[in-house]
Amino acid sequence: MASILIVAEHANGALNPATAKCVDCARGIDGADIHVLVLADSPDAIAAEAAALEGVGKVLTVADAAFAAPLAAALAPQVVATASGYDYVFGPSTTFGKDLMPRVAALLGVNQLSDVMEVVDARTFKRPIYAGNAITTVRVRDGYTVVATVRAASYKAVGSQDAAPIESAEAAGGTPAHTRFVSVQTGDSDRPDLQTAARVISGGRALGSADNFEIIYDLADSVGAAVGASRAAVDAGYVPNELQVGQTGKIIAPELYVAIGISGAIQHLTGIKDAGTIVAINKDEDAPIFEVADIGLVGDLFKVIPEIKSALG
Amino acid sequence: MDKILVGLKRVVDYNVRIRVKTDGSGVETDGVKMSINPFDEIALEEALRIRERGEASEVVVFSIGPSDAQQQLRTGLAMGADRAILVEAADAVDPLSAAKVITKLIEAESPELVILGKQAIDNDNNQTGQMVAALWDRPQATFASKVELADGKATVTREVDAGLETIEVDLPAVVTTDLRLNEPRYVKLPDIMKAKKKPLDTTPIADFGVAPDDAFEVSEYAPPPQRSKGVMVEDTAALVAALKDKGLI
Ligand SMILES: Cc1cc2nc3c(=O)[nH]c(=O)nc-3n(C[C@H](O)[C@H](O)[C@H](O)COP(=O)(O)OP(=O)(O)OC[C@H]3O[C@@H](n4cnc5c(N)ncnc54)[C@H](O)[C@@H]3O)c2cc1C
């Protein structure tokens, strides 16, 4: 029977929702035995969350102070040690997985399959290239360990089950001293998370300043949406980098995506292809964003946003 | 610090609208504009700034690719790199093999810092830098938006999903670039002339003794599913009504 090891992503003692989406992807491989590996300074609560994900057969943990921060150089040797004997090693296609998994793949002597969006069969997968402008079908040679990152936006989080067994795995030890965590600076967490929110409202260069961008936050708050942005808005300093949506930002799949004052460059559109309904508000009727929008409105955002606010009451 | 090694991949220019060949055998690249991968241009810019601050003495650019990749290396030399190495490969090179070749270049050149783009915008793999760091058994600082060097260490700010993470790594190390690290300079005409005299060495990839990995076989290239054309609404009231209709607000 095929065996799959999924490397869990977590922060502040909680499992990242991308892990549940990796499990969904892994379930596409018929009859596979799915295990989740939790590497943390104190893994117990995270492991309990992972054990309750539908389809997980076992959770493995290694507790080590060196795993307190998600440093690829510290985690990769442990993943490689635990992965021996597994046919597949999966991680999420988040910055955590993108940083770690290629290091794991190289140590295992294999290439990585990046951004898996569909499992065709046990050896055949689909993945996007050229910013999603082409989809390739890739067959992996038999007997070759499949190290892959899973494009979370292509999958749903699995449901829950009675807890699977949790065991501690053998510690590989020998964490390198050459890489040290210093700090992480994160935005406010009162608003819905951009990666998992059902609704997202994004602003672009047209907002013109950080002050003006407040009307996007305000509109988002009034409908319980997360806030996103184009690269131009991030580059101009209107909003922090973690709000960037697109090829080099976040790939998201909300039910509702509202693009305000965003032209619709291909690099931006890559990030929203899986959205349920796309709404575009732009004063230029020829803006490319209208080619993908389900509902478009030509107008000046500084006029339209207040009108929406008052229509919502 | 003496040397910085920078990779420049030749890719389809980011402004080109990519089209899949009608027979599904690949992506149309005939007669299409080719450029330095944008992330690699940022990598080179960072290396040049480090050298200009007096924190490095030499910037060496390399490319693994077809003989035409000389154009991108010449552009790199015109931007200010000191010399260039082309590892000539007629066929596309997989990330692991590329990482093995780069590790051999590192053995020969002994750089203190290797700066690569975080991903190439053709295959969007985002693997090579991390693989080089693994094979070299050295630190990796990926998705960098700020790099500071002092006392044999690099302090690197990384763009991560949660925000900005800062790590400290001992040199030598691999850094991969994110978009906001810097804005690459424009090449001026006199620099293009000067670049013609700078050394550019070519070695066939076969000389590196790296066997290509053919475990991945692409059986089909397909255009992405198209979203069907939507509706245009006249005014805000119609927009809000349409959203309420769909139960979205
Ligand atoms: C390698 C690479 C990676 C990239 N990755 C990303 C990425 O991940 N995400 C991303 O977003 N971009 C990315 N980009 C950048 C992308 O190409 C575009 O430059 C960017 O998305 C443009 O942002 P924008 O739409 O906000 O700005 P613009 O293109 O300047 O568009 C502004 C829009 O606002 C409209 N407008 C102006 N005033 C008003 C008003 N008062 N009311 C209504 N509308 C108004 C204009 O008509 C225009 O359509 C990348 C580029 C490269 C080269």
Side-chain angles (χ1 to χ4, degrees):
Chain A
M1 185 166 61
S3 55
I4 304 180
L5 185 67
I6 294 173
V7 183
E9 174 171 359
H10 57 84
N12 309 319
L15 198 62
N16 183 296
T19 304
K21 298 182 179 182
C22 290
V23 176
D24 187 32
C25 174
R27 292 181 95 197
I29 292 160
D30 283 340
D33 204 2
I34 302 169
H35 298 172
V36 176
L37 174 63
V38 178
L39 306 179
D41 50 349
S42 47
D44 294 354
I46 306 157
E49 273 190 78
L53 295 176
E54 190 180 358
V56 171
K58 195 191 335 185
V59 176
L60 298 166
T61 64
V62 181
D64 189 327
F67 302 152
L71 295 172
L75 300 174
Q78 178 66 56
V79 175
V80 169
T82 310
S84 128
Y86 283 88
D87 306 297
Y88 303 80
V89 188
F90 284 3
S93 194
T94 54
T95 52
F96 165 79
K98 287 175 176 173
D99 184 41
L100 172 63
M101 299 308 285
R103 192 161 179 122
V104 169
L107 294 175
L108 289 170
V110 297
N111 272 297
Q112 171 186 284
L113 202 55
S114 301
D115 306 315
V116 169
M117 57 190 291
E118 190 183 326
V119 177
V120 179
D121 63 43
R123 304 307 295 175
T124 315
F125 305 86
K126 289 192 181 181
R127 65 169 300 260
I129 59 171
Y130 285 100
N133 285 298
I135 310 296
T136 57
T137 304
V138 184
R139 205 193 127 75
V140 184
R141 192 173 63 216
D142 290 339
Y144 192 90
T145 306
V146 180
V147 175
T149 55
V150 173
R151 186 177 180 277
S154 301
Y155 292 94
K156 299 249 175 302
V158 292
S160 56
Q161 64 174 14
D162 291 341
I166 300 173
E167 294 170 14
S168 53
E170 200 176 322
T175 313
H178 57 48
T179 305
R180 296 167 294 274
F181 175 80
V182 177
S183 63
V184 66
Q185 186 193 324
T186 58
D188 67 275
S189 52
D190 297 345
R191 293 196 165 85
D193 174 49
L194 175 57
Q195 240 148 352
T196 48
R199 302 184 193 97
V200 173
I201 297 185
S202 282
R205 194 198 309 271
L207 271 301
S209 70
D211 281 348
N212 286 348
F213 212 94
E214 285 301 321
I215 59 171
I216 299 286
Y217 283 107
D218 185 45
L219 180 63
D221 288 349
S222 65
V223 296
V227 172
S230 69
R231 173 187 170 187
V234 177
D235 283 358
Y238 306 163
V239 291
N241 66 285
E242 64 265 25
L243 298 193
Q244 183 175 317
V245 171
Q247 180 187 19
T248 48
K250 285 179 177 142
I251 310 278
I252 56 173
E255 286 162 33
L256 173 66
Y257 185 78
V258 185
I260 304 181
I262 291 178
S263 60
I266 49 170
Q267 294 89 358
H268 187 81
L269 300 183
T270 308
I272 57 170
K273 284 203 167 116
D274 297 293
T277 299
I278 297 176
V279 174
I281 299 167
N282 196 301
K283 71 175 182 191
D284 172 12
E285 60 179 333
D286 294 324
I289 188 77
F290 288 126
E291 288 166 30
V292 300
D294 299 288
I295 306 173
L297 174 61
V298 177
D300 184 334
L301 70 93
F302 296 106
K303 188 169 154 280
V304 172
I305 293 179
E307 284 174 5
I308 299 176
K309 282 275 292 175
S310 65
L312 292 173
Chain B
M1 178 169 73
D2 47 36
K3 202 184 290 180
I4 306 178
L5 190 63
V6 174
L8 302 181
K9 188 176 183 186
R10 173 182 166 90
V11 298
V12 173
D13 187 85
Y14 78 94
N15 279 313
V16 172
R17 274 214 179 216
I18 293 299
R19 258 193 299 273
V20 174
K21 290 184 187 162
T22 41
D23 65 359
S25 65
V27 161
E28 201 60 72
T29 50
D30 282 355
V32 156
K33 182 177 180 211
M34 303 297 285
S35 299
I36 298 176
N37 177 42
F39 292 98
D40 301 349
E41 223 177 339
I42 293 171
L44 176 54
E45 177 64 35
E46 194 65 17
L48 296 174
R49 290 185 190 187
I50 292 169
R51 192 193 62 195
E52 284 158 4
R53 288 200 301 264
E55 293 168 5
S57 54
E58 192 185 21
V59 174
V60 180
V61 288
F62 71 90
S63 188
I64 305 171
S67 122
D68 284 345
Q70 283 184 36
Q71 294 162 11
Q72 281 65 43
L73 289 172
R74 286 285 170 212
T75 305
L77 292 170
M79 277 176 73
D82 298 291
R83 64 192 167 84
I85 303 168
L86 173 63
V87 178
E88 199 173 331
D91 301 319
V93 178
D94 61 278
L96 183 63
S97 301
K100 288 178 179 169
V101 168
I102 296 168
T103 311
K104 298 222 162 170
L105 289 174
I106 289 171
E107 270 170 34
E109 298 283 343
S110 312
E112 276 287 281
L113 195 58
V114 176
I115 314 183
L116 304 175
K118 76 167 180 180
Q119 72 195 75
I121 60 164
D122 48 7
N123 286 324
D124 284 334
N125 272 315
N126 196 334
Q127 300 180 25
T128 307
Q130 297 87 316
M131 288 183 156
V132 170
L135 300 178
W136 191 18
D137 198 13
R138 292 303 307 164
Q140 66 189 47
T142 53
F143 326 146
S145 65
K146 191 173 173 197
V147 177
E148 286 172 316
L149 303 171
D151 310 324
K153 288 180 297 216
T155 304
V156 179
T157 303
R158 310 177 51 233
E159 293 206 357
V160 295
D161 291 337
L164 293 172
E165 181 193 86
T166 304
I167 63 172
E168 187 185 80
V169 298
D170 294 337
L171 299 178
V174 177
V175 168
T176 76
T177 61
D178 218 316
L179 294 171
R180 278 170 283 274
L181 182 57
N182 60 52
E183 225 174 287
R185 68 196 61 190
Y186 285 103
V187 174
K188 295 187 230 57
L189 197 59
D191 298 327
I192 298 175
M193 301 311 290
K194 261 193 274 172
K196 291 196 174 135
K197 296 201 193 76
K198 291 185 181 175
L200 190 166
D201 293 325
T202 300
T203 314
I205 192 165
D207 289 9
F208 287 80
V210 173
D213 178 37
D214 55 3
F216 291 175
E217 187 204 329
V218 180
S219 60
E220 198 198 350
Y221 293 79
Q226 293 300 314
R227 295 184 72 98
S228 50
K229 183 116 185 71
V231 296
M232 298 298 286
V233 291
E234 276 306 306
D235 53 24
T236 311
L239 173 63
V240 173
L243 290 175
K244 284 200 169 142
D245 225 35
K246 290 184 168 225
L248 288 166
I249 53 171

